[in-house]
Amino acid sequence: RKEVEQDPGPFNVPEGATVAFNCTYSNSASQSFFWYRQDCRKEPKLLMSVYSSGNEDGRFTAQLNRASQYISLLIRDSKLSDSATYLCAVNLGSGGGADGLTFGKGTHLIIQP
Amino acid sequence: DVKVTQSSRYLVKRTGEKVFLECVQDMDHENMFWYRQDPGLGLRLIYFSYDVKMKEKGDIPEGYSVSREKKERFSLILESASTNQTSMYLCASSWGGGTMEFETQYFGPGTRLLVL
């Protein structure tokens, strides 16, 4: 069964703290991985793609662990504006893009002042 | 910037009505997708299309059909709306292809459909 799993949370984190969450996926042959951010009652927006070597964008770091089949998102120095739901997305096929992405149900993050 | 637009932000329909949801993208993307999103269930793929006049069933196609007559436009049709189709409907598009850049999906603002 093809699956992408996330801890739904909520993660309640004080402002300024570091928070990390993971997303596991079922197909070891998957090649494409993404993190999206979704604000309440809005559409998901791409936060970052996840590359094999890991990648960083400001306070955000994404990593891929192929051996254990998960991706992670680390947020440093968290801001109130980081409060959102974070969705991971994986192409559970063997590539090509025609079969689209499978999304996790999201992890709800609440940054507290 | 990629722009994906959806015809309505909010829609109220009655049971049994035929409902059309329209999605337009302006980036010449090959792939287009329709999802519904419900609390606790996440995004679920209804249908997708990888070319004009081509369509593929997603995970929950029952009660829905789609149409893609032009590359930029992908329509979702509820043949006879039912109350269990009350949901947030999201359209997305992507270039399509074997690299992550091409698989990135861009979403429209969504349509909140209420079926009474």
Side-chain angles (χ1 to χ4, degrees), chain A residues 56-76:
Chain A
E56 189 174 306
D57 182 4
R59 297 181 294 108
F60 297 83
T61 300
Q63 294 204 308
L64 167 64
N65 186 317
R66 283 197 183 276
S68 300
Q69 293 180 215
Y70 72 87
I71 60 173
S72 63
L73 179 67
L74 180 87
I75 306 174
R76 288 182 299 278

Side-chain angles (χ1 to χ4, degrees), chain A residues 31-34 36 38 41-46 49-52 87 91 95-101 103-105, chain B residues 9-10 31 33 35 37 40-43 45 48 50 88 90 96-100 103-109 112:
Chain A
Q31 298 293 325
S32 300
F33 310 90
F34 305 88
Y36 281 77
Q38 186 173 24
R41 304 180 73 83
K42 295 288 184 72
E43 74 273 24
K45 293 186 177 177
L46 179 69
S49 305
V50 185
Y51 296 98
S52 296
L87 306 175
N91 187 323
D99 45 352
L101 301 175
F103 287 81
K105 294 180 181 178
Chain B
R9 295 298 300 271
Y10 301 94
N31 295 349
F33 307 85
Y35 297 89
Q37 187 174 35
L41 296 178
L43 280 165
L45 182 63
F48 65 98
Y50 53 88
M88 166 79 137
L90 288 155
T99 69
M100 279 208 289
E103 290 190 56
T104 304
Q105 291 188 18
Y106 299 89
F107 286 83
R112 290 195 173 271

Side-chain angles (χ1 to χ4, degrees), chain B residues 17-35:
Chain B
E17 280 192 78
K18 192 167 186 175
V19 182
F20 293 87
L21 303 181
E22 299 278 326
C23 175
V24 178
Q25 49 91 6
D26 68 355
M27 284 299 292
D28 203 33
H29 282 174
E30 299 290 332
N31 295 349
M32 296 188 75
F33 307 85
W34 275 107
Y35 297 89

